[in-house]
Amino acid sequence: MRFLLHPARAVAFGFLVAILAGTLLLMLPVSHAAAESGSLLVSFFTAVSAVCVTGLVIVDTGTYWSMFGQMIILFLCQIGGFGMMTAATLLGLMVNRSLRLRTKLVTQVETHSLGLGDIGSVAKLVFVVTVVVEVITAVFLTTRFYSAYPMSFADAAWNGVFHAISAFNNAGFSIYPDSLMRFAVDPLILLPIMVAIMVGGIGFPVLHDLRMKIRDPRHWSLHTKLTLLGTGVLLLVGFLGLLAFEWHNEQTLGALSFVDKLWSAAFMSVSARTAGFNALDIGLLNHESWALHYLLMFIGGGSAGTAGGVKVGTVVILVLIVIAEIRGLNDSEAFGRRVGPQAQRQAVTVLVLGSALVVTATVMILRMTDLPTDQVIFEVVSAFGTVGLSTGITADLPSEAQVILAALMYFGRVGTITLATSIVLSKRRMPYRYAEEHPIVG
């Protein structure tokens, strides 16, 4: 148990426990539409995908799982997005009105709070934002489903609740086998889901900062400014890129009206960065659009939110490093602030290790299958970025490859958190420094 005292390990272990519990529950006959015991691999893969809020599936969620099974998946998505340690923190606050130091440290890992004094307020903010956004989104979706589509109020309500929770947690699970393609021309379905995705994926530290200083952008933290700037740029790049690459593709945007093209491209740009819903058939996109998705999925969303990827802040810091080097500056600067060397080292480390995981997994799966390289890369990046988009090959992969994807989803969800915190908490002060030398670069 002493091994788990390290806050970062406690977070990773919490996700692992949730996955194992979810696997056992999904294996129960009551979880299946056919009322029989489920496959271990299917249950495990689905549990990992739900807890790691990814959305990759090897069976159809709406027909393979019973109502009970779908509720279990939804609960796992909520736990995975909300965070095991954040939930434990809220429980501790409700019971004891105070937190022990170790609990604060563990929660700080998950929420990326800037100070231990922020833990309680951030945890409460997580709870309030989660409930409010999910309820509002569910009401909008339920109303639209019931008024515009041939379904009972009970079915409309379940569809609304399921997709609201899945959207806010950036999970990408859908009851429909075509995800949201049947609603590609319905902005009253797409817009609420887009808003929920963005609020959940921007990161709770940003939401906390905006809540405290919404009227004074000058005093927003550098993290908030960098995340908002990076998010805006990525959304615009994804939107314009998809319009350019798919405008004349009759199998995707080409068949839609001008306005519907704009809505579908905007939705795909938002979802591609981590949510995993799709309003267009991913398998029919042009290869340029796949390449654009590689970038968006790998970067992901904001830190300490429901999004995956290496995170927007990480990439923006790396861009600032490059700009500073090109300009011959000693420091990486933005908005009148200097980025510390520790943050720079962490950004480089996260990017290198994330890239290494993607490359390694891609090579391993290519050796197991005869599938095209670009499709395998898409699947691997989607799993690592906890996105859940697929060109349609997930169910056709051999079981060994599916296990590799499950491992990628887990590392993509908790690996970077664990890594970053381990670096911080394991920092040592050496009593000496070696003489400096400058190896040749480039």
Side-chain angles (χ1 to χ4, degrees):
M1 292 299 293
R2 182 172 296 182
F3 174 81
L4 297 177
L5 291 178
H6 192 292
R9 297 186 189 118
V11 170
F13 184 73
F15 276 87
L16 186 58
V17 169
I19 289 170
L20 296 178
T23 301
L24 294 176
L25 289 172
L26 290 176
M27 289 184 66
L28 297 175
V30 70
S31 296
H32 298 259
E36 57 186 24
S37 297
S39 159
L40 174 60
L41 178 59
V42 171
S43 300
F44 173 71
F45 189 92
T46 305
V48 174
S49 185
V51 173
C52 298
V53 290
T54 304
L56 281 178
V57 294
I58 51 181
V59 294
D60 177 46
T61 304
T63 57
Y64 185 86
W65 304 105
S66 66
M67 176 66 74
F68 178 80
Q70 293 175 21
M71 292 175 65
I72 293 298
I73 291 172
L74 208 58
F75 178 73
L76 294 176
C77 291
Q78 186 71 81
I79 289 295
F82 197 63
M84 265 64 65
M85 299 307 143
T86 306
T89 297
L90 282 170
L91 182 61
L93 286 172
M94 288 188 292
V95 174
N96 300 321
R97 302 289 180 180
S98 63
L99 297 173
R100 297 171 58 188
L101 177 60
R102 179 176 171 274
T103 303
K104 289 185 177 182
L105 286 171
V106 172
T107 308
Q108 189 180 29
V109 171
E110 220 168 40
T111 62
H112 284 212
S113 301
L114 299 179
L116 293 180
D118 297 330
I119 297 300
S121 61
V122 171
K124 292 175 183 177
L125 177 67
V126 172
F127 177 76
V128 172
V129 170
T130 299
V131 172
V132 170
V133 174
E134 289 181 354
V135 168
I136 293 176
T137 305
V139 169
F140 271 98
L141 292 178
T142 298
T143 302
R144 183 59 178 172
F145 283 136
Y146 183 63
S147 62
Y149 297 92
M151 59 180 71
S152 66
F153 180 78
D155 289 338
W158 174 241
N159 275 270
V161 170
F162 189 97
H163 289 92
I165 294 177
S166 183
F168 176 78
N169 290 288
N170 281 227
F173 278 89
S174 176
I175 296 175
Y176 302 109
D178 61 354
S179 188
L180 299 179
M181 288 171 55
R182 64 188 65 193
F183 307 115
V185 296
D186 190 344
L188 296 182
I189 293 293
L190 300 184
L191 183 58
I193 291 178
M194 288 168 63
V195 173
I197 290 170
M198 289 189 289
V199 174
I202 198 70
F204 291 109
V206 173
L207 295 178
H208 182 257
D209 201 21
L210 295 178
R211 170 176 170 260
M212 303 300 293
K213 309 167 187 175
I214 185 63
R215 297 182 179 180
D216 192 2
R218 295 175 301 172
H219 291 88
W220 290 352
S221 69
L222 182 59
H223 168 76
T224 295
K225 293 177 181 178
L226 294 181
T227 300
L228 292 177
L229 173 63
T231 297
V233 170
L234 289 173
L235 289 176
L236 184 61
V237 168
F239 173 67
L240 295 178
L242 285 168
L243 285 178
F245 299 145
E246 300 298 325
W247 188 269
H248 298 293
N249 185 350
E250 291 298 323
Q251 296 177 301
T252 56
L253 291 182
L256 304 179
S257 68
F258 177 80
V259 174
D260 290 336
K261 286 179 179 179
L262 299 182
W263 274 112
S264 294
F267 181 85
M268 292 297 291
S269 177
V270 170
S271 184
R273 291 184 44 244
T274 189
F277 292 111
N278 58 286
L280 303 174
D281 191 332
I282 299 295
L284 298 178
L285 294 176
N286 289 317
H287 291 268
E288 300 93 330
S289 296
W290 283 0
L292 178 61
H293 275 74
Y294 299 161
L295 173 67
L296 298 176
M297 293 190 298
F298 185 75
I299 295 175
S303 299
T306 58
V310 295
K311 303 298 188 297
V312 174
T314 300
V315 174
V316 175
I317 289 174
L318 292 170
V319 171
L320 293 177
I321 294 173
V322 173
I323 292 174
E325 190 64 29
I326 292 174
R327 297 176 60 191
L329 301 176
N330 292 327
D331 299 317
S332 300
E333 303 167 346
F335 300 104
R337 292 291 185 270
R338 176 167 49 89
V339 179
Q342 180 176 309
Q344 296 180 38
R345 291 195 301 269
Q346 288 178 345
V348 172
T349 304
V350 168
L351 181 71
V352 170
L353 291 184
S355 301
L357 278 173
V358 168
V359 171
T360 302
T362 300
V363 172
M364 293 175 67
I365 294 178
L366 284 174
R367 289 182 60 85
M368 300 175 184
T369 70
D370 295 323
L371 292 168
T373 302
D374 51 4
Q375 285 188 291
V376 173
I377 293 175
F378 194 103
E379 205 80 7
V380 167
V381 177
S382 179
F384 172 76
T386 67
V387 180
L389 293 175
S390 174
T391 58
I393 66 172
T394 314
D396 299 326
L397 292 171
S399 57
E400 296 85 354
Q402 292 171 350
V403 171
I404 291 174
L405 291 182
L408 275 176
M409 288 188 279
Y410 178 76
F411 287 124
R413 180 63 178 141
V414 305
T416 53
I417 298 175
T418 303
L419 169 67
T421 308
S422 296
I423 293 173
V424 173
L425 297 182
S426 302
K427 185 177 180 180
R428 296 182 297 171
R429 292 186 178 275
M430 301 298 291
Y432 58 87
R433 298 179 71 185
Y434 290 110
E436 184 175 314
E437 191 171 338
H438 298 278
I440 298 174
V441 176

